[in-house]
Each structure stands twice: as C-alpha cells, then as structure tokens.
Amino acid sequence: MCGIIGCVNRGERTLETLVDGLERLEYRGYDSSGVSLLGEELSVTKTAGKIADLRAALEERPLDGRLGVGHTRWSTHGPPTDENAHPHLDCSGEVAVVHNGIIENYQGLRDELAGDGHTFTSDTDTEVVPHLIERALGRGASPEAAFRDAIAQLEGSYAIAAVVGDEEAIFAARSDSPLVIGVGKECAEGDREYFLASDVPAFREYTGKVIYLDDGEFARLESELAVTDSDGQPVEKTVNTVEWDAEETGKSGYDHFMLKEIHEQPRALRQCLSGRADELAGTVELEEVDDVSPSSVHFVAMGTSYHAALYGVHLFQQAGVPAQAFHASEYATVTPPIGDALVIGITQSGETADTVSALREARSRGARTLAVTNTVGSTADRECDETLLIQSGPEIGVAASKTFTGQLAALNLLTLATVESGRTRRDVVPELRELPGRVQSILDDSNAEEIADVYHDSRSFFFIGRSYQYPVALEGALKLKEISYEHAEGFSAGDLKHGPLALVDDDTPVFAMVTGDDEIARKTVGNIKEVEARDAPVVAVTDGQSNAELYADHVLRIPEAIPRAAAVLTNVQLQLVAYHVADNLGRSIDKPRNLAKSVTVE
Ligand code: G6P
C-alpha cells in the first residue's frame, strides 16, 4: 500500500533521506514513486516502476532542496503511470501533495475545480488536493489556511503531506490512515530535524523518537513542530520511543526479508512469551487484559490474521467459550448479534482498513474491543479498549511469517490468562516455553528445500488438516500462492472428498498435517489414503506418532508437541516450502506482485 516520507532541516541530505526512506517503505507494496523538494523553487521527479527507476531519473536530473516529500504509490484510481505517480501538483506547479488512502468525494470536487478552470493531468483522486489548495491561495488564504481549507472539503480516508508555495514547511493531516512524525536531532542553526512517514522504518535510522498523529490533527514541520486540532488549537503530543533499531529492518545476510523473518521466529516467540508466561508457577500474566473474561468472542481479521482468528476460535471453544471468526470485510454486512461478545481484531499492522472498520462497527454497537497487533501506536491499538501486543519485532516481507506465529502464541496467552483453567495453564505453559527451541530445530533440519525442488512446477498444491491444523492448511496455501503465484488451496481434510478431490491428480501434491496419534490423526490418515489412491503425491507434515508416513511420498518432520503447539510447528515447515518454491521460480518474494503489506483501503 502507498507510503509517505517527508523531512525538514536535513540540508544536503534531503534528497537522499527521501529516496532511502522510500526504499525502506518498499515492503508495503507499490508500483510507482516520486519526490518533490523545495529549493529555489519546487521541483518534482516521479516515475512508474521501482525505486531504482526513480533513482535513474534523479541521476539524469538531480533535485536539491531544504525540505521535501516522497511517495510510493499502490494504484487505486488509474494505472501505474508517470502521470499518476505522486507528488501531484496544482496548475502553477507551486503546491505538491502526496496522499495515502481514498478521497471518496473526489469526482464532485474535480468537476467543480475543472469548471473553475483547473487543469488535471492524472486519473487520481489525489490531484484534487493541490488544486483545492491553489484555489484557496488564490482567494488570499495563507499556505496553512489553504491547506486546512482543502482538507476540510475531503471525505474518505487520507494521510496527506504537502509543500505549499515557498513556505519552508511541510503540512500534514490524517484521517483513517497512519502518519507518524520522527523527532530528529538539533542541527547547527538550532533548528531540529523532523521526519514524517506512514511507517517508522522509513526514518528509523535517524531517530527512534516518534509522535503518532491522530485523526483530525494537523502538523506543521519546520524549524519547530506544531500539532493542532481541526480548530487550530495546539495539541500536546507524547513523544514515544521505538524499541527496535534500524538493524532489525535490514536483511542481516539473508537473501530475503521473509527468510530472515522465518528464522527470527524463535526470538519472536521468546519476546512474545517473555514476562508473561511463567513456567515454574504455571501462570500467565497479561496486564493488558487483566479484567477481560469474555462470555463469547467475535474475531475480525483479514488474510493471514484471519487464519490466526480461526485458530483462536478453537482455543476459546475448547475452553467452553462460544467464538466465531469473521472476515472483517464481511462483519458489517452480516451484522451478527454482538450481545456481550468481546470483539477481537487481529491485525499485525493495526492499520488494515477492513479490520479497523469492523472494530469501529463493533464499538458503535456497544461492544468491548481488543486489538491483537504487532504495531504500537497503530490505529487498532489506539482505538480499541485493550491491546495485546504480539511483540514480534518489525516484519518487512509482505507475506506475514513471524507475525502469524506471534499471533498464535499471543492467542494462547490470551485464553490461558482469561478463560482456561489452572490445570490447562500448568499443562500448556511449559509447552509454550518449549516452542522457540522446537521451531529452531525445524529451521536447523528442515528438508523443505528438497521437497520444493521436486514439486515447484506442479500444476496445483493442496493443503489439508483438521482441528488446529485446518487454519494451518489455509495459511500454508495462502503463503504459497502469495509469494510463488502458483495455484494453491487449503481445505479441512474432511471436506476434500466433497468436491476438491475431483481436481486431484498426479500433478497435485497434497501436504497433509498429521500430528499426534488420536482420532483426528487417524481420520486425516484416511484422507491421505483417498488422495494417494488418486495418484497424488503426498507430503506428510508429521511428528511421526501416527502411521501417516506409510502413505506419504515425502515427510516434513516436526518435534512432538501438544496439538495447539504442533500447529505452530507444522506451519514453519509450510513457510519454508512456500519460500523455496517461490525462490526456485525466481519470484519477487518480499514484494509479491499486486500485494501490499498494509492494506489501508476497504
Ligand atoms: C494484506 C497482506 C496479508 C495480510 C493482510 C492482513 O493483505 O498482504 O499478508 O495477512 O493484509 O494484514 P494485517 O496487518 O491486518 O494482519
């Protein structure tokens, strides 16, 4: 999804700061980019394609200036072309605007502005903003008043940054789309460096001191920072400190962020459990949810987080608490009776528009809300009654890996702390503490790469599992399709014979998760036999307790664990399969086509 960067008082490093920042935001997904700097005059360079294309254009025609804004665009209105890339200018070329989100009333504004003689050069909704500012300037407004006047006319979601005329400032505002300000060091002239971005990694190498802008607030970045409300009254903002360092947003020698993040899972798990799950006492302390004891639960989430929600449903139901999972985008359309349900939004970014809007819907209907997120200061974090942080550290690869694992661990902590019995806690906590080591042993010994070598050019990939392994089957398929662009589907093992079996042939490897040696495992082995009889190659992801291996062509081994923990382990093997299949096919693993890390439109 689109990314914004801006900086003031960086002197000669302005352009470099903007372009490096855009590179740091690449993981959000984009198809064009651009920068605008204010020097002697306002200048803009923008281009379709990768940041490398922008760098090439800038080499031909370098820009300089004391402040500027930059943008990576993920197309919504109009195709990825040079003209549609941001920043967008007014008719005079003196106002530059970058925008994330969607301006819903843009067509009416555009018609009106065109009627007033304004000329548009792009298909975007964003372009109305510089023209609105230009119109207000023409009516005698100051740059700041013109910016406020333009923002007041917008409906929809936006994070907007603008450079207006020769005013030595960046103006910014947000509504339903994240914007964070970085407070940098004081420079020689007594001015302070300030940064502005849609996400902290864009400027983390320069500062870890951040201020999260709230909906309806305005910021003016110049030698000093001023944050005001919609009436222009000053707002006191808290300066937060980011816990992770810039190193954590680098690749540390791995070929891809995703592979690095898969390997970071033991640490991410330890961070999630640390100080919360006490093995000796068999207790779980979660300050955040101390007084939460839900009588029923609704989960709202999208993508990978929805699969974590399905897993959470099992946990709550096993504990006797009715629970349902919804695609957040469907929540408002089905309007389920909420009653006294706790509504839990699972979202690693905390910014997924579908999820944020479902949580708002729930709140408007009187529900108590809880965010399970990786992102402190995100919209979900700030708007929900409670937040449970998964503490996985920054995840850059578009396809979620360690954050899914973190979500599963955090959901265990949640049910153990709120609805599960002391006896269950004593059984489960030691298993959770074993997880980091068990994940590490899989990372050390996995033969997923060999299996990917054998099957990477298959026509289709199926994944099956029951109980806790069903969400893992869905997630295994999603991971594979996201990063390899190969067809993959996940099914509950029992449902395979009710239709999908018609698609199974000798070019359809079936990955079957079979752990333990109970009724669930025996039934899944039965399903393996069904596909084996149709000549499908079978890869059993198993701890070896059942006889699944007898019917499998290949085995991906996991250590023995209780069922809920085994699901975390089988998933790690499937992440590695997806990664190596995609790598074999030479795909853009960290930035898959058409996808974005943080989807801030509904
Ligand atoms: C996007 C990403 C998915 C992610 C989903 C939900 O579609 O490409 O990988 O699972 O958003 O993201 P969230 O931040 O809400 O967990």
Side-chain angles (χ1 to χ4, degrees):
M1 203 88 323
C2 308
I4 287 177
I5 174 80
C7 65
V8 298
N9 301 324
R10 290 280 293 160
E12 286 172 0
R13 291 158 304 168
T14 304
L15 180 62
E16 166 197 325
T17 306
L18 295 177
V19 181
D20 287 355
L22 292 180
E23 233 154 34
R24 295 269 185 192
L25 291 171
E26 277 189 300
Y27 73 93
R28 293 166 68 92
Y30 73 106
D31 41 41
S32 49
S33 63
V35 289
S36 179
L37 277 78
L38 180 65
E40 289 304 308
E41 55 184 22
L42 189 68
S43 50
V44 176
T45 297
K46 54 188 194 170
T47 170
K50 296 289 174 197
I51 305 290
D53 300 308
L54 178 67
R55 282 197 188 279
L58 285 165
E59 233 158 67
E60 269 179 35
R61 202 175 70 90
L63 305 186
D64 75 83
R66 300 170 295 275
L67 60 87
V69 291
H71 190 263
T72 47
R73 172 174 186 256
W74 187 79
S75 309
T76 54
H77 295 72
T81 59
D82 292 356
E83 293 73 28
N84 286 338
H86 300 210
H88 287 288
L89 299 177
D90 65 333
C91 301
S92 67
E94 285 172 10
V95 178
V97 170
V98 293
H99 161 231
N100 289 356
I102 290 182
I103 297 167
E104 279 158 17
N105 59 335
Y106 87 99
Q107 193 59 56
L109 292 170
R110 187 173 167 131
D111 294 344
E112 192 187 304
L113 287 158
D116 283 355
H118 290 260
T119 309
F120 287 82
T121 56
S122 80
D123 309 316
T124 65
D125 52 342
T126 306
E127 202 185 350
V128 297
V129 184
H131 290 282
L132 286 172
I133 296 174
E134 180 182 30
R135 185 166 71 177
L137 288 171
R139 292 173 180 167
S142 69
E144 181 164 346
F147 179 73
R148 285 176 175 275
D149 179 80
I151 297 294
Q153 296 178 60
L154 307 181
E155 290 166 18
S157 64
Y158 51 80
I160 290 178
V163 181
V164 183
D166 53 8
E167 190 90 345
E168 297 264 335
I170 296 175
F171 299 98
R174 70 158 271 176
S175 176
D176 287 348
S177 193
L179 260 188
V180 54
I181 293 162
V183 181
K185 59 179 191 307
E186 234 175 74
C187 26
E189 307 80 35
D191 295 341
R192 192 173 285 285
E193 293 178 344
Y194 287 105
F195 306 86
L196 176 77
S198 37
D199 207 353
V200 179
F203 58 68
R204 177 64 189 92
E205 61 185 300
Y206 314 116
T207 180
K209 304 247 174 282
V210 303
I211 293 171
Y212 297 102
L213 213 58
D214 281 305
D215 281 352
E217 289 178 346
F218 288 78
R220 179 185 174 115
L221 284 68
E222 45 188 348
S223 52
E224 288 181 356
L225 169 71
V227 179
T228 46
D229 65 15
S230 51
D231 298 327
Q233 295 306 310
V235 181
E236 277 292 316
K237 299 294 288 181
T238 314
V239 180
N240 300 275
T241 304
V242 174
E243 298 296 338
W244 42 271
D245 58 29
E247 232 335 86
E248 288 189 61
T249 58
K251 279 194 212 154
S252 311
Y254 286 95
D255 287 346
H256 297 95
F257 281 111
M258 185 180 178
L259 189 59
K260 174 187 169 229
E261 286 154 6
I262 289 172
H263 280 266
E264 281 172 347
Q265 290 178 114
R267 187 170 82 189
L269 278 166
R270 283 190 194 98
Q271 283 168 191
C272 180
L273 301 173
S274 159
R276 293 165 156 183
D278 184 332
E279 193 173 347
L280 289 178
T283 54
V284 172
E285 296 284 340
L286 285 181
E287 278 170 28
E288 316 74 328
V289 293
D290 257 357
D291 54 347
V292 177
S293 178
S295 52
S296 66
V297 166
H298 287 177
F299 284 104
V300 291
M302 300 303 291
T304 291
S305 296
Y306 175 70
H307 300 151
L310 292 174
Y311 174 94
V313 165
H314 272 281
L315 287 176
F316 275 102
Q317 287 189 340
Q318 293 281 322
V321 177
Q324 285 173 273
F326 298 86
H327 275 132
S329 54
E330 291 296 307
Y331 198 61
T333 64
V334 293
T335 55
I338 294 189
D340 54 3
L342 171 69
V343 179
I344 305 179
I346 307 186
T347 164
Q348 72 78 24
S349 63
E351 300 295 351
T352 297
D354 291 311
T355 308
V356 166
S357 132
L359 287 166
R360 285 181 185 157
E361 162 79 17
R363 288 203 73 178
S364 74
R365 291 166 58 199
R368 185 162 188 177
T369 53
L370 167 70
V372 177
T373 183
N374 197 30
T375 314
V376 185
S378 61
T379 306
D381 172 24
R382 286 178 297 119
E383 292 189 2
C384 283
D385 297 305
E386 267 88 25
T387 297
L388 175 55
L389 292 170
I390 63 172
Q391 297 178 181
S392 300
E395 185 176 74
I396 306 294
V398 163
S401 55
K402 66 175 177 174
T403 55
F404 179 65
T405 297
Q407 288 167 345
L408 303 190
L411 288 169
N412 273 285
L413 294 177
L414 179 63
T415 50
L416 289 168
T418 58
V419 294
E420 295 193 280
S421 67
R423 192 195 160 126
T424 308
R425 275 197 290 279
R426 280 189 296 281
D427 289 346
V428 175
V429 169
E431 285 273 333
L432 292 180
R433 304 296 310 198
E434 290 290 337
L435 266 178
R438 289 175 177 162
V439 169
Q440 188 61 56
S441 75
I442 294 173
L443 295 171
D444 293 343
D445 302 331
S446 176
N447 53 330
E449 187 168 1
E450 291 154 36
I451 291 174
D453 281 349
V454 177
Y455 294 116
H456 67 272
D457 56 0
S458 300
R459 191 169 52 84
S460 203
F461 297 77
F462 282 6
F463 295 79
I464 59 172
R466 284 170 185 260
S467 182
Y468 289 109
Q469 298 290 354
Y470 169 43
V472 173
L474 297 179
E475 175 60 10
L478 178 65
K479 213 59 14 193
L480 193 90
K481 70 178 89 154
E482 278 180 313
I483 62 171
S484 74
Y485 318 153
E486 293 298 297
H487 180 247
E489 295 299 333
F491 305 102
S492 68
D495 198 37
L496 195 70
K497 58 186 173 301
H498 296 287
L501 199 57
L503 298 172
V504 165
D505 62 15
D506 62 3
D507 204 13
T508 318
V510 178
F511 289 75
M513 272 62 73
V514 196
T515 58
D517 188 22
D518 55 5
E519 191 58 19
I520 292 173
R522 276 191 287 283
K523 284 186 180 169
T524 312
V525 172
N527 303 128
I528 289 181
K529 290 181 194 165
E530 290 157 14
V531 297
E532 198 216 4
R534 273 87 187 168
D535 297 327
V538 173
V539 180
V541 191
T542 181
D543 53 12
Q545 292 193 69
S546 67
N547 62 352
E549 292 175 33
L550 288 180
Y551 309 97
D553 298 86
H554 298 274
V555 173
L556 286 162
R557 177 73 74 180
I558 64 153
E560 284 183 26
I562 58 171
R564 50 165 83 182
V568 176
L569 301 175
T570 49
N571 181 63
V572 173
Q573 289 285 23
L574 299 189
Q575 290 171 342
L576 290 167
V577 170
Y579 174 83
H580 289 296
V581 168
D583 197 34
N584 243 301
L585 296 168
R587 303 300 192 222
S588 167
I589 293 180
D590 287 329
K591 287 167 273 181
R593 69 182 180 201
N594 306 338
L595 301 183
K597 181 82 184 152
S598 176
V599 181
T600 48
V601 291
E602 286 184 55

